[in-house]
Amino acid sequence: MSQKNYSRIIGTGRYLPEKIVTNVDLEKKVDTSDAWIRERTGIEQRHIAADDQTTCDLAEQASLKALEMAEIEASEIDLIIVATTTPDKTFPSTACLLQQRLAIHGCPAFDIQAVCSGFVYALSVADQFIKTGMAKCVLVVGSETLSRITNWSDRNTCVLFGDGAGAVLLQASEEAGILSTHIHADGQYEDLLHVPSGVSKLPKTDSIEERTMAMRGNEVFKMAVNTLSRIAKETLDANGLQKEDIDWLVPHQANLRIINGTAKKLKLSPEQAVVTVHKHANTSSASVPMALDEAIRDGRIQRGHMLLLEAFGGGFTWGSALIRY
Ligand code: ACO
């Protein structure tokens, strides 16, 4: 009897809020320049959620697009996982709020918090559920309103981040599918990239710095480049594959220099790396599924292509997925 235990992508979707803030707009707020931001990061603009728009609103729009592409009803979903660092509420989870929006009841729904690696973590968890037969149709979403935890007067961070959401629908299949996922963390780097306070760790003062992202950018950059090439090797080795077997790198969109550096180490041409960071800056857990959706919808990624998804973020956390699309 054949086993239906691969996770196959049957639909993707993305959503970016309407409001665009360009580098030139930021020049008016902090001591920076369009030229500096483009040269150091590749970023040209970011989308920012409206005041009444939440992470769940963004997730809902991306999910509806994924459902439309997959041509299935929401009622077929039997697990929802939302990766987010910026949930609507302390509780319920954003996944439960999303379940309500999709008007479905009963299937498990939970959030994953692994910052920029959140989507890859969520994909890995979803894949385990499908492999073991616990789920047959999983909605995996990365959604963020990072603008809410950004200090708009800190030039070291505010130029780097934006809001958005990406969604992927996975279905159990006899055909691959996700070939492997690899996830890691090392908590010792907490202070290099974090928000100093939260729900339980209360801010000591009223200062905005306590409630927004703090980052030692240069150190994060070096760790990201080294770690991402290590995880690419780990992923290929686990599957007995070579660099030449990869058709597309679908990386976390934080910085064009990190993406190009990773592609070069994999001996991929710059065109083989899906790049969207210039359009929306770093959207944390939303960036990988948004890049995936863009390259599927514009026809670059075709059925049968080999995709390497990878991400690195606060924690530190990092992860990858090798997928035969
Ligand atoms: N505009 C103008 N100048 C700036 C700005 C800005 N927005 N920000 C910093 N500078 C200045 C610094 O103050 C410094 O000035 P100094 O030399 O007088 O001290 C100078 O530019 C160079 O600063 P560096 O930090 O060395 O610049 P670097 O080339 O490392 O670029 C950057 C900074 C873009 C933050 C880079 O380190 C980076 O991208 N790091 C990764 C950060 C990241 O992506 N984090 C997100 C989460 S983790 C992840 O997703 C991978």
Side-chain angles (χ1 to χ4, degrees), residues 87-104:
D88 285 30
K89 297 181 169 189
T90 304
F91 72 84
S93 68
T94 306
C96 284
L97 302 179
L98 180 61
Q99 186 192 45
Q100 185 189 147
R101 300 285 181 89
L102 298 175
I104 54 178

Side-chain angles (χ1 to χ4, degrees), residues 42-117:
I43 296 164
E44 294 168 16
Q45 60 178 42
R46 66 286 297 140
H47 290 245
I48 303 297
D51 288 348
D52 61 352
Q53 217 172 14
T54 68
T55 292
C56 187
D57 293 326
L58 275 47
E60 181 185 2
Q61 294 306 317
S63 303
L64 291 176
K65 289 193 182 124
L67 283 164
E68 192 181 71
M69 186 194 280
E71 296 181 342
I72 64 161
E73 296 299 322
S75 56
E76 292 179 50
I77 295 167
D78 58 8
L79 171 64
I80 300 173
I81 309 179
V82 174
T84 187
T85 308
T86 46
D88 285 30
K89 297 181 169 189
T90 304
F91 72 84
S93 68
T94 306
C96 284
L97 302 179
L98 180 61
Q99 186 192 45
Q100 185 189 147
R101 300 285 181 89
L102 298 175
I104 54 178
H105 310 276
C107 75
F110 57 86
D111 287 0
I112 279 187
Q113 155 60 303
V115 205
C116 300
S117 312

